[in-house]
Amino acid sequence: MTVILDGKAVSDKILLELKIAVAAALETTGKDPGLAVILVGNNAASRTYVEAKKKACHEVGIMSFEYKLSVTDGQAVLEKLIDHLNADAEVHGILLQLPLPDGFDEQAVLQRIHPDKDVDGFHPFNMGRLAIGLPALQPCTPAGIMKLLEHYQIATEGKHVVIVGRSNIVGKPIGLMLVQNNKNANATVTICHSKTPDIGAITRQADILIAAVGKPEFITADMVKPGATIIDVGINRVPAETKAGYKIVGDVHFEDVYPLVDAITPVPGGVGKMTIATLMATTLQTFRKQEGLPSA
Ligand code: GUN
């Protein structure tokens, strides 16, 4: 029987624990953790993610401050907002929803976020620390995947993990996490991307396959090894005869792959939920540090 890696159930449990921890932190400090979420432009998927993040904040007792900028506001206004939020004592975490519209210098903005408020772990300070195995604020999706594997006691030591996709948000950081020399990692990691010839020959070697490529149902049954664990990071909108006019599918062809494998994440209800729960956990982490509480 294939195990469905239930990101919703695991994240609900994490959110409940966080709610208690946030209440305790409020009791000690008299302060609420605060997360600033910045959305630039009108990308429909980004709007949905920002709403989901706000809802999770509400659920656990984190204050959310939303900043909506239009494309015409431009780089200088966005950078000024970051400076303001860096200095705001009520804001413990700053999340800039990506991707930014064309014309913005994404790296310049990310590098302007104070590393202590960098809840996405995208600042080179945090990414660098992650690379060399030091404690760091970690990107939410990869950290969420690590928690999901841990929850289901899926060992990574000595396993061949194949990652499809080399983004700074998922592919590279999950590779860095899994290759570390520690008990929750110690994997052999291969990262494939758009210039990798014959990707299937490599994905078929994977004990754990992580699909983070952003292409609907890219991973087909012939690309997986029977008995593998499949982590599907994709959240793709495809046209469908639904009320919204679309449906959400992952980067993996779920129906065809499911019967072949030992474990698989569903879309929705898999990695996406873990990303949001991890963002909440990281925001509490930044709050604790900034308010002088010991790390949990
Ligand atoms: N866009 C897609 N995934 C992410 C993420 O994890 N963080 C941010 N800020 N933007 C994203």
Short mmCIF file of all heavy atoms in Angstrom, two decimals, residues 61-131:
data_model
loop_
_atom_site.label_atom_id
_atom_site.label_comp_id
_atom_site.label_asym_id
_atom_site.label_seq_id
_atom_site.Cartn_x
_atom_site.Cartn_y
_atom_site.Cartn_z
N GLY A 61 -2.04 33.09 16.00
CA GLY A 61 -1.89 34.27 16.86
C GLY A 61 -0.72 35.16 16.51
O GLY A 61 -0.23 35.92 17.35
N ILE A 62 -0.26 35.06 15.27
CA ILE A 62 0.80 35.97 14.79
C ILE A 62 0.12 37.15 14.09
O ILE A 62 -0.83 36.95 13.33
CB ILE A 62 1.75 35.22 13.82
CG1 ILE A 62 2.56 34.17 14.59
CG2 ILE A 62 2.66 36.20 13.07
CD1 ILE A 62 3.42 33.27 13.71
N MET A 63 0.59 38.37 14.40
CA MET A 63 0.04 39.54 13.71
C MET A 63 0.54 39.53 12.27
O MET A 63 1.74 39.34 12.04
CB MET A 63 0.55 40.83 14.35
CG MET A 63 0.25 40.95 15.81
SD MET A 63 -1.30 41.78 16.06
CE MET A 63 -0.79 43.45 15.79
N SER A 64 -0.34 39.74 11.31
CA SER A 64 0.16 39.85 9.93
C SER A 64 -0.08 41.27 9.42
O SER A 64 -1.15 41.85 9.65
CB SER A 64 -0.49 38.81 9.03
OG SER A 64 -1.81 39.16 8.74
N PHE A 65 0.95 41.80 8.82
CA PHE A 65 0.87 43.14 8.24
C PHE A 65 1.06 42.97 6.73
O PHE A 65 2.10 42.48 6.30
CB PHE A 65 1.98 44.04 8.79
CG PHE A 65 2.04 44.06 10.30
CD1 PHE A 65 2.98 43.31 10.99
CD2 PHE A 65 1.13 44.82 11.03
CE1 PHE A 65 3.03 43.33 12.38
CE2 PHE A 65 1.18 44.84 12.42
CZ PHE A 65 2.13 44.09 13.10
N GLU A 66 0.04 43.38 5.99
CA GLU A 66 0.11 43.14 4.56
C GLU A 66 0.45 44.45 3.82
O GLU A 66 -0.12 45.50 4.12
CB GLU A 66 -1.24 42.61 4.07
CG GLU A 66 -1.21 42.15 2.64
CD GLU A 66 -2.55 41.62 2.17
OE1 GLU A 66 -3.53 41.66 2.93
OE2 GLU A 66 -2.61 41.18 1.02
N TYR A 67 1.37 44.34 2.89
CA TYR A 67 1.74 45.50 2.07
C TYR A 67 1.58 45.12 0.62
O TYR A 67 2.24 44.21 0.14
CB TYR A 67 3.19 45.92 2.35
CG TYR A 67 3.37 46.41 3.76
CD1 TYR A 67 3.62 45.52 4.80
CD2 TYR A 67 3.22 47.76 4.06
CE1 TYR A 67 3.75 45.96 6.10
CE2 TYR A 67 3.34 48.21 5.37
CZ TYR A 67 3.61 47.31 6.38
OH TYR A 67 3.71 47.75 7.67
N LYS A 68 0.65 45.82 -0.05
CA LYS A 68 0.41 45.56 -1.48
C LYS A 68 0.95 46.73 -2.27
O LYS A 68 0.50 47.86 -2.10
CB LYS A 68 -1.08 45.40 -1.74
CG LYS A 68 -1.62 44.06 -1.30
CD LYS A 68 -3.07 43.89 -1.75
CE LYS A 68 -3.52 42.47 -1.44
NZ LYS A 68 -4.96 42.31 -1.49
N LEU A 69 1.92 46.43 -3.13
CA LEU A 69 2.50 47.47 -3.98
C LEU A 69 2.09 47.20 -5.42
O LEU A 69 1.89 46.04 -5.79
CB LEU A 69 4.03 47.46 -3.88
CG LEU A 69 4.66 48.36 -2.81
CD1 LEU A 69 4.16 48.01 -1.43
CD2 LEU A 69 6.18 48.24 -2.86
N SER A 70 1.99 48.27 -6.19
CA SER A 70 1.71 48.04 -7.61
C SER A 70 3.03 48.05 -8.38
O SER A 70 4.05 48.55 -7.88
CB SER A 70 0.74 49.10 -8.15
OG SER A 70 1.44 50.28 -8.39
N VAL A 71 2.99 47.49 -9.56
CA VAL A 71 4.21 47.39 -10.37
C VAL A 71 4.84 48.77 -10.57
O VAL A 71 6.07 48.91 -10.55
CB VAL A 71 3.86 46.75 -11.74
CG1 VAL A 71 5.07 46.72 -12.65
CG2 VAL A 71 3.32 45.35 -11.54
N THR A 72 3.98 49.78 -10.71
CA THR A 72 4.49 51.12 -11.00
C THR A 72 5.18 51.77 -9.79
O THR A 72 5.86 52.78 -9.95
CB THR A 72 3.35 52.05 -11.50
OG1 THR A 72 2.28 51.94 -10.56
CG2 THR A 72 2.88 51.65 -12.88
N ASP A 73 4.99 51.20 -8.60
CA ASP A 73 5.68 51.77 -7.43
C ASP A 73 7.20 51.69 -7.59
O ASP A 73 7.93 52.57 -7.16
CB ASP A 73 5.26 51.04 -6.15
CG ASP A 73 3.86 51.49 -5.69
OD1 ASP A 73 3.53 52.66 -5.88
OD2 ASP A 73 3.12 50.64 -5.16
N GLY A 74 7.67 50.59 -8.19
CA GLY A 74 9.08 50.49 -8.54
C GLY A 74 10.00 50.09 -7.40
O GLY A 74 9.61 49.98 -6.23
N GLN A 75 11.26 49.86 -7.79
CA GLN A 75 12.30 49.33 -6.91
C GLN A 75 12.54 50.21 -5.68
O GLN A 75 12.65 49.72 -4.56
CB GLN A 75 13.60 49.20 -7.73
CG GLN A 75 14.78 48.61 -7.00
CD GLN A 75 14.79 47.09 -7.04
OE1 GLN A 75 14.05 46.46 -7.80
NE2 GLN A 75 15.60 46.48 -6.21
N ALA A 76 12.61 51.53 -5.90
CA ALA A 76 12.99 52.43 -4.81
C ALA A 76 11.95 52.41 -3.69
O ALA A 76 12.31 52.38 -2.50
CB ALA A 76 13.18 53.85 -5.34
N VAL A 77 10.67 52.39 -4.07
CA VAL A 77 9.60 52.36 -3.06
C VAL A 77 9.66 51.04 -2.29
O VAL A 77 9.53 51.02 -1.06
CB VAL A 77 8.22 52.55 -3.75
CG1 VAL A 77 7.08 52.28 -2.78
CG2 VAL A 77 8.11 53.96 -4.32
N LEU A 78 9.89 49.96 -3.01
CA LEU A 78 9.97 48.65 -2.36
C LEU A 78 11.16 48.61 -1.38
O LEU A 78 11.04 48.13 -0.24
CB LEU A 78 10.09 47.56 -3.43
CG LEU A 78 10.21 46.12 -2.95
CD1 LEU A 78 9.08 45.73 -2.00
CD2 LEU A 78 10.22 45.16 -4.15
N GLU A 79 12.27 49.13 -1.79
CA GLU A 79 13.46 49.12 -0.91
C GLU A 79 13.23 50.01 0.32
O GLU A 79 13.66 49.67 1.43
CB GLU A 79 14.70 49.56 -1.70
CG GLU A 79 15.09 48.51 -2.73
CD GLU A 79 16.45 48.73 -3.38
OE1 GLU A 79 17.15 49.68 -2.99
OE2 GLU A 79 16.80 47.94 -4.28
N LYS A 80 12.54 51.12 0.11
CA LYS A 80 12.22 52.00 1.24
C LYS A 80 11.31 51.28 2.24
O LYS A 80 11.47 51.41 3.47
CB LYS A 80 11.54 53.27 0.72
CG LYS A 80 11.97 54.50 1.49
CD LYS A 80 11.51 55.77 0.85
CE LYS A 80 11.16 56.73 1.97
NZ LYS A 80 10.21 57.73 1.61
N LEU A 81 10.37 50.52 1.71
CA LEU A 81 9.47 49.74 2.58
C LEU A 81 10.27 48.72 3.39
O LEU A 81 10.05 48.56 4.59
CB LEU A 81 8.39 49.04 1.73
CG LEU A 81 7.48 48.07 2.48
CD1 LEU A 81 6.70 48.77 3.59
CD2 LEU A 81 6.51 47.38 1.52
N ILE A 82 11.21 48.05 2.75
CA ILE A 82 12.05 47.08 3.46
C ILE A 82 12.80 47.78 4.60
O ILE A 82 12.84 47.28 5.74
CB ILE A 82 13.06 46.40 2.50
CG1 ILE A 82 12.35 45.65 1.37
CG2 ILE A 82 14.02 45.49 3.27
CD1 ILE A 82 11.66 44.38 1.74
N ASP A 83 13.37 48.94 4.31
CA ASP A 83 14.12 49.69 5.35
C ASP A 83 13.20 50.01 6.53
O ASP A 83 13.59 49.86 7.69
CB ASP A 83 14.69 50.99 4.77
CG ASP A 83 15.77 50.73 3.72
OD1 ASP A 83 16.26 49.58 3.64
OD2 ASP A 83 16.10 51.67 2.98
N HIS A 84 11.99 50.42 6.20
CA HIS A 84 11.01 50.76 7.24
C HIS A 84 10.69 49.53 8.09
O HIS A 84 10.65 49.60 9.33
CB HIS A 84 9.75 51.32 6.54
CG HIS A 84 8.57 51.41 7.41
ND1 HIS A 84 8.41 52.42 8.35
CD2 HIS A 84 7.46 50.62 7.53
CE1 HIS A 84 7.26 52.24 8.99
NE2 HIS A 84 6.67 51.15 8.51
N LEU A 85 10.47 48.39 7.43
CA LEU A 85 10.10 47.16 8.16
C LEU A 85 11.29 46.62 8.97
O LEU A 85 11.10 46.08 10.06
CB LEU A 85 9.58 46.10 7.19
CG LEU A 85 8.28 46.46 6.45
CD1 LEU A 85 7.96 45.44 5.37
CD2 LEU A 85 7.12 46.60 7.42
N ASN A 86 12.48 46.78 8.43
CA ASN A 86 13.68 46.36 9.18
C ASN A 86 13.76 47.09 10.52
O ASN A 86 14.20 46.53 11.52
CB ASN A 86 14.95 46.68 8.38
CG ASN A 86 15.24 45.64 7.30
OD1 ASN A 86 14.78 44.50 7.37
ND2 ASN A 86 16.02 46.04 6.29
N ALA A 87 13.29 48.35 10.52
CA ALA A 87 13.42 49.19 11.72
C ALA A 87 12.19 49.09 12.64
O ALA A 87 12.21 49.61 13.75
CB ALA A 87 13.62 50.65 11.30
N ASP A 88 11.14 48.41 12.17
CA ASP A 88 9.88 48.37 12.92
C ASP A 88 9.93 47.25 13.97
O ASP A 88 9.98 46.06 13.63
CB ASP A 88 8.72 48.15 11.93
CG ASP A 88 7.36 48.23 12.61
OD1 ASP A 88 7.28 48.07 13.84
OD2 ASP A 88 6.38 48.45 11.89
N ALA A 89 9.86 47.62 15.24
CA ALA A 89 10.00 46.64 16.33
C ALA A 89 8.81 45.68 16.41
O ALA A 89 8.92 44.62 17.03
CB ALA A 89 10.18 47.36 17.66
N GLU A 90 7.70 46.03 15.79
CA GLU A 90 6.53 45.12 15.81
C GLU A 90 6.63 44.04 14.74
O GLU A 90 5.85 43.10 14.71
CB GLU A 90 5.24 45.91 15.60
CG GLU A 90 4.79 46.63 16.85
CD GLU A 90 3.42 47.26 16.65
OE1 GLU A 90 2.58 46.67 15.95
OE2 GLU A 90 3.24 48.35 17.20
N VAL A 91 7.57 44.23 13.82
CA VAL A 91 7.74 43.28 12.71
C VAL A 91 8.96 42.40 13.00
O VAL A 91 10.08 42.89 13.06
CB VAL A 91 7.92 44.03 11.37
CG1 VAL A 91 8.31 43.08 10.26
CG2 VAL A 91 6.64 44.77 11.02
N HIS A 92 8.71 41.11 13.17
CA HIS A 92 9.81 40.18 13.47
C HIS A 92 10.25 39.39 12.23
O HIS A 92 11.34 38.83 12.20
CB HIS A 92 9.39 39.23 14.58
CG HIS A 92 8.97 39.96 15.82
ND1 HIS A 92 7.66 40.33 16.06
CD2 HIS A 92 9.68 40.43 16.86
CE1 HIS A 92 7.58 40.98 17.20
NE2 HIS A 92 8.80 41.07 17.71
N GLY A 93 9.36 39.33 11.26
CA GLY A 93 9.69 38.62 10.03
C GLY A 93 9.19 39.39 8.82
O GLY A 93 8.13 40.03 8.88
N ILE A 94 9.96 39.34 7.74
CA ILE A 94 9.58 40.01 6.49
C ILE A 94 9.56 38.98 5.38
O ILE A 94 10.57 38.30 5.14
CB ILE A 94 10.57 41.14 6.13
CG1 ILE A 94 10.65 42.17 7.26
CG2 ILE A 94 10.17 41.80 4.80
CD1 ILE A 94 11.78 43.19 7.08
N LEU A 95 8.41 38.86 4.73
CA LEU A 95 8.31 37.92 3.61
C LEU A 95 7.95 38.69 2.34
O LEU A 95 6.93 39.36 2.29
CB LEU A 95 7.24 36.86 3.90
CG LEU A 95 7.12 35.84 2.77
CD1 LEU A 95 7.10 34.44 3.32
CD2 LEU A 95 5.93 36.10 1.89
N LEU A 96 8.82 38.60 1.38
CA LEU A 96 8.57 39.20 0.07
C LEU A 96 8.10 38.10 -0.86
O LEU A 96 8.87 37.18 -1.19
CB LEU A 96 9.87 39.82 -0.47
CG LEU A 96 9.81 40.37 -1.88
CD1 LEU A 96 8.92 41.60 -1.96
CD2 LEU A 96 11.21 40.70 -2.38
N GLN A 97 6.83 38.13 -1.24
CA GLN A 97 6.30 37.07 -2.09
C GLN A 97 6.99 37.11 -3.46
O GLN A 97 7.06 38.16 -4.10
CB GLN A 97 4.77 37.21 -2.23
CG GLN A 97 4.11 36.05 -2.94
CD GLN A 97 4.26 34.72 -2.23
OE1 GLN A 97 4.25 34.65 -1.00
NE2 GLN A 97 4.44 33.65 -2.98
N LEU A 98 7.46 35.98 -3.91
CA LEU A 98 8.14 35.86 -5.20
C LEU A 98 7.26 35.09 -6.17
O LEU A 98 6.42 34.31 -5.74
CB LEU A 98 9.49 35.14 -5.01
CG LEU A 98 10.47 35.82 -4.05
CD1 LEU A 98 11.72 34.98 -3.92
CD2 LEU A 98 10.80 37.24 -4.49
N PRO A 99 7.41 35.24 -7.45
CA PRO A 99 8.40 36.10 -8.12
C PRO A 99 7.95 37.56 -8.12
O PRO A 99 6.76 37.84 -8.07
CB PRO A 99 8.42 35.55 -9.54
CG PRO A 99 7.04 35.00 -9.75
CD PRO A 99 6.58 34.50 -8.42
N LEU A 100 8.92 38.49 -8.20
CA LEU A 100 8.59 39.89 -8.41
C LEU A 100 8.28 40.10 -9.88
O LEU A 100 8.80 39.38 -10.73
CB LEU A 100 9.78 40.77 -8.00
CG LEU A 100 10.05 40.92 -6.51
CD1 LEU A 100 11.25 41.82 -6.28
CD2 LEU A 100 8.83 41.47 -5.78
N PRO A 101 7.45 41.07 -10.19
CA PRO A 101 7.17 41.36 -11.62
C PRO A 101 8.47 41.76 -12.33
O PRO A 101 9.44 42.18 -11.69
CB PRO A 101 6.21 42.55 -11.55
CG PRO A 101 5.64 42.55 -10.17
CD PRO A 101 6.70 41.97 -9.29
N ASP A 102 8.44 41.66 -13.64
CA ASP A 102 9.60 42.08 -14.46
C ASP A 102 9.97 43.52 -14.12
O ASP A 102 9.10 44.34 -13.84
CB ASP A 102 9.25 42.01 -15.95
CG ASP A 102 9.17 40.57 -16.43
OD1 ASP A 102 9.61 39.67 -15.68
OD2 ASP A 102 8.66 40.34 -17.54
N GLY A 103 11.26 43.79 -14.17
CA GLY A 103 11.72 45.16 -13.97
C GLY A 103 12.25 45.39 -12.55
O GLY A 103 12.89 46.41 -12.30
N PHE A 104 11.98 44.44 -11.64
CA PHE A 104 12.52 44.58 -10.28
C PHE A 104 13.80 43.77 -10.15
O PHE A 104 13.96 42.72 -10.77
CB PHE A 104 11.51 44.06 -9.26
CG PHE A 104 10.36 45.00 -9.02
CD1 PHE A 104 9.26 45.00 -9.86
CD2 PHE A 104 10.39 45.90 -7.96
CE1 PHE A 104 8.20 45.87 -9.65
CE2 PHE A 104 9.33 46.78 -7.74
CZ PHE A 104 8.25 46.76 -8.59
N ASP A 105 14.71 44.27 -9.33
CA ASP A 105 15.93 43.53 -9.01
C ASP A 105 15.67 42.73 -7.72
O ASP A 105 15.82 43.25 -6.62
CB ASP A 105 17.10 44.52 -8.84
CG ASP A 105 18.41 43.81 -8.55
OD1 ASP A 105 18.39 42.60 -8.19
OD2 ASP A 105 19.46 44.47 -8.66
N GLU A 106 15.28 41.47 -7.94
CA GLU A 106 14.85 40.62 -6.82
C GLU A 106 15.96 40.45 -5.78
O GLU A 106 15.74 40.57 -4.58
CB GLU A 106 14.46 39.27 -7.41
CG GLU A 106 13.63 38.41 -6.52
CD GLU A 106 12.98 37.27 -7.33
OE1 GLU A 106 11.99 37.53 -8.03
OE2 GLU A 106 13.49 36.15 -7.27
N GLN A 107 17.16 40.16 -6.25
CA GLN A 107 18.26 39.92 -5.32
C GLN A 107 18.56 41.16 -4.48
O GLN A 107 18.85 41.04 -3.28
CB GLN A 107 19.52 39.47 -6.09
CG GLN A 107 19.60 37.98 -6.31
CD GLN A 107 19.46 37.18 -5.01
OE1 GLN A 107 20.02 37.51 -3.98
NE2 GLN A 107 18.68 36.11 -5.06
N ALA A 108 18.50 42.33 -5.12
CA ALA A 108 18.79 43.56 -4.36
C ALA A 108 17.80 43.73 -3.21
O ALA A 108 18.18 44.14 -2.11
CB ALA A 108 18.75 44.78 -5.29
N VAL A 109 16.54 43.38 -3.46
CA VAL A 109 15.52 43.53 -2.40
C VAL A 109 15.74 42.47 -1.32
O VAL A 109 15.73 42.78 -0.12
CB VAL A 109 14.09 43.41 -2.97
CG1 VAL A 109 13.07 43.75 -1.87
CG2 VAL A 109 13.89 44.33 -4.16
N LEU A 110 15.95 41.23 -1.74
CA LEU A 110 16.14 40.15 -0.75
C LEU A 110 17.34 40.43 0.14
O LEU A 110 17.32 40.15 1.34
CB LEU A 110 16.30 38.79 -1.45
CG LEU A 110 15.06 38.25 -2.17
CD1 LEU A 110 15.39 36.96 -2.91
CD2 LEU A 110 13.91 38.01 -1.18
N GLN A 111 18.38 41.01 -0.44
CA GLN A 111 19.59 41.26 0.33
C GLN A 111 19.45 42.48 1.24
O GLN A 111 20.30 42.73 2.09
CB GLN A 111 20.80 41.40 -0.60
CG GLN A 111 21.14 40.05 -1.23
CD GLN A 111 22.29 40.11 -2.21
OE1 GLN A 111 23.22 40.88 -2.03
NE2 GLN A 111 22.23 39.28 -3.22
N ARG A 112 18.38 43.24 1.05
CA ARG A 112 18.13 44.40 1.90
C ARG A 112 17.39 44.00 3.18
O ARG A 112 17.38 44.75 4.16
CB ARG A 112 17.30 45.41 1.11
CG ARG A 112 17.65 46.83 1.45
CD ARG A 112 16.97 47.78 0.51
NE ARG A 112 17.14 49.12 0.96
CZ ARG A 112 18.04 49.96 0.47
NH1 ARG A 112 18.84 49.56 -0.51
NH2 ARG A 112 18.14 51.18 0.95
N ILE A 113 16.72 42.85 3.15
CA ILE A 113 16.00 42.37 4.34
C ILE A 113 17.02 42.02 5.42
O ILE A 113 18.01 41.33 5.13
CB ILE A 113 15.13 41.14 3.98
CG1 ILE A 113 14.03 41.54 2.99
CG2 ILE A 113 14.53 40.51 5.23
CD1 ILE A 113 13.21 40.37 2.44
N HIS A 114 16.79 42.50 6.64
CA HIS A 114 17.74 42.18 7.72
C HIS A 114 17.78 40.66 7.91
O HIS A 114 16.73 40.02 8.03
CB HIS A 114 17.31 42.86 9.02
CG HIS A 114 18.38 42.81 10.06
ND1 HIS A 114 18.72 41.64 10.71
CD2 HIS A 114 19.23 43.75 10.52
CE1 HIS A 114 19.73 41.87 11.54
NE2 HIS A 114 20.04 43.15 11.44
N PRO A 115 18.98 40.07 7.96
CA PRO A 115 19.06 38.61 8.08
C PRO A 115 18.29 38.03 9.27
O PRO A 115 17.81 36.90 9.18
CB PRO A 115 20.57 38.35 8.23
CG PRO A 115 21.21 39.52 7.56
CD PRO A 115 20.30 40.69 7.78
N ASP A 116 18.12 38.81 10.34
CA ASP A 116 17.36 38.31 11.50
C ASP A 116 15.85 38.28 11.23
O ASP A 116 15.10 37.65 11.97
CB ASP A 116 17.60 39.18 12.73
CG ASP A 116 18.97 38.92 13.35
OD1 ASP A 116 19.62 37.92 12.97
OD2 ASP A 116 19.38 39.73 14.21
N LYS A 117 15.40 39.03 10.22
CA LYS A 117 13.97 39.07 9.89
C LYS A 117 13.67 38.29 8.61
O LYS A 117 12.55 38.31 8.10
CB LYS A 117 13.50 40.53 9.74
CG LYS A 117 13.61 41.34 11.03
CD LYS A 117 12.86 42.66 10.95
CE LYS A 117 12.97 43.40 12.30
NZ LYS A 117 12.10 44.60 12.34
N ASP A 118 14.66 37.59 8.12
CA ASP A 118 14.60 36.91 6.82
C ASP A 118 13.92 35.55 6.99
O ASP A 118 14.56 34.49 6.92
CB ASP A 118 16.05 36.77 6.31
CG ASP A 118 16.16 35.96 5.05
OD1 ASP A 118 15.23 36.00 4.23
OD2 ASP A 118 17.21 35.29 4.90
N VAL A 119 12.58 35.56 7.17
CA VAL A 119 11.86 34.31 7.45
C VAL A 119 11.87 33.32 6.28
O VAL A 119 11.56 32.15 6.46
CB VAL A 119 10.39 34.57 7.87
CG1 VAL A 119 10.31 35.06 9.30
CG2 VAL A 119 9.70 35.53 6.91
N ASP A 120 12.24 33.78 5.11
CA ASP A 120 12.35 32.88 3.95
C ASP A 120 13.75 32.27 3.83
O ASP A 120 13.96 31.37 3.02
CB ASP A 120 12.04 33.65 2.65
CG ASP A 120 10.64 33.38 2.13
OD1 ASP A 120 10.16 32.24 2.29
OD2 ASP A 120 10.03 34.31 1.58
N GLY A 121 14.69 32.80 4.60
CA GLY A 121 16.05 32.27 4.52
C GLY A 121 16.72 32.47 3.18
O GLY A 121 17.61 31.71 2.79
N PHE A 122 16.31 33.51 2.45
CA PHE A 122 16.85 33.73 1.10
C PHE A 122 18.05 34.69 1.09
O PHE A 122 18.70 34.85 0.06
CB PHE A 122 15.78 34.31 0.17
CG PHE A 122 14.64 33.36 -0.14
CD1 PHE A 122 13.41 33.85 -0.58
CD2 PHE A 122 14.79 31.99 -0.01
CE1 PHE A 122 12.36 32.98 -0.88
CE2 PHE A 122 13.74 31.12 -0.30
CZ PHE A 122 12.53 31.62 -0.74
N HIS A 123 18.31 35.37 2.20
CA HIS A 123 19.46 36.28 2.26
C HIS A 123 20.75 35.46 2.19
O HIS A 123 20.82 34.38 2.80
CB HIS A 123 19.41 37.08 3.57
CG HIS A 123 20.37 38.22 3.60
ND1 HIS A 123 21.73 38.04 3.72
CD2 HIS A 123 20.16 39.57 3.53
CE1 HIS A 123 22.32 39.23 3.72
NE2 HIS A 123 21.39 40.16 3.60
N PRO A 124 21.75 35.96 1.47
CA PRO A 124 23.01 35.20 1.36
C PRO A 124 23.62 34.84 2.72
O PRO A 124 24.29 33.82 2.84
CB PRO A 124 23.94 36.14 0.59
CG PRO A 124 23.03 37.04 -0.17
CD PRO A 124 21.77 37.19 0.65
N PHE A 125 23.38 35.66 3.73
CA PHE A 125 23.88 35.34 5.07
C PHE A 125 23.30 34.00 5.55
O PHE A 125 24.03 33.11 6.00
CB PHE A 125 23.50 36.46 6.06
CG PHE A 125 23.89 36.17 7.49
CD1 PHE A 125 25.16 36.48 7.96
CD2 PHE A 125 22.96 35.60 8.37
CE1 PHE A 125 25.51 36.21 9.28
CE2 PHE A 125 23.32 35.32 9.68
CZ PHE A 125 24.58 35.63 10.14
N ASN A 126 21.98 33.87 5.43
CA ASN A 126 21.33 32.63 5.88
C ASN A 126 21.61 31.47 4.93
O ASN A 126 21.86 30.34 5.36
CB ASN A 126 19.83 32.86 6.05
CG ASN A 126 19.52 33.65 7.32
OD1 ASN A 126 20.01 33.30 8.40
ND2 ASN A 126 18.76 34.72 7.19
N MET A 127 21.56 31.74 3.62
CA MET A 127 21.82 30.68 2.64
C MET A 127 23.27 30.18 2.78
O MET A 127 23.53 28.99 2.66
CB MET A 127 21.55 31.22 1.24
CG MET A 127 21.27 30.21 0.17
SD MET A 127 19.81 29.19 0.44
CE MET A 127 18.59 30.06 -0.50
N GLY A 128 24.18 31.11 3.05
CA GLY A 128 25.58 30.73 3.23
C GLY A 128 25.78 29.87 4.47
O GLY A 128 26.50 28.87 4.44
N ARG A 129 25.11 30.26 5.53
CA ARG A 129 25.21 29.45 6.77
C ARG A 129 24.61 28.06 6.55
O ARG A 129 25.17 27.07 7.01
CB ARG A 129 24.51 30.18 7.92
CG ARG A 129 25.30 31.39 8.41
CD ARG A 129 24.60 32.12 9.54
NE ARG A 129 24.47 31.33 10.75
CZ ARG A 129 25.36 31.33 11.75
NH1 ARG A 129 26.45 32.06 11.68
NH2 ARG A 129 25.15 30.59 12.81
N LEU A 130 23.49 28.01 5.82
CA LEU A 130 22.90 26.71 5.50
C LEU A 130 23.91 25.85 4.72
O LEU A 130 24.09 24.67 5.02
CB LEU A 130 21.61 26.91 4.68
CG LEU A 130 20.98 25.67 4.07
CD1 LEU A 130 20.52 24.70 5.16
CD2 LEU A 130 19.79 26.03 3.18
N ALA A 131 24.57 26.48 3.76
CA ALA A 131 25.51 25.74 2.91
C ALA A 131 26.63 25.11 3.73
O ALA A 131 27.05 23.98 3.46
CB ALA A 131 26.09 26.66 1.84
#
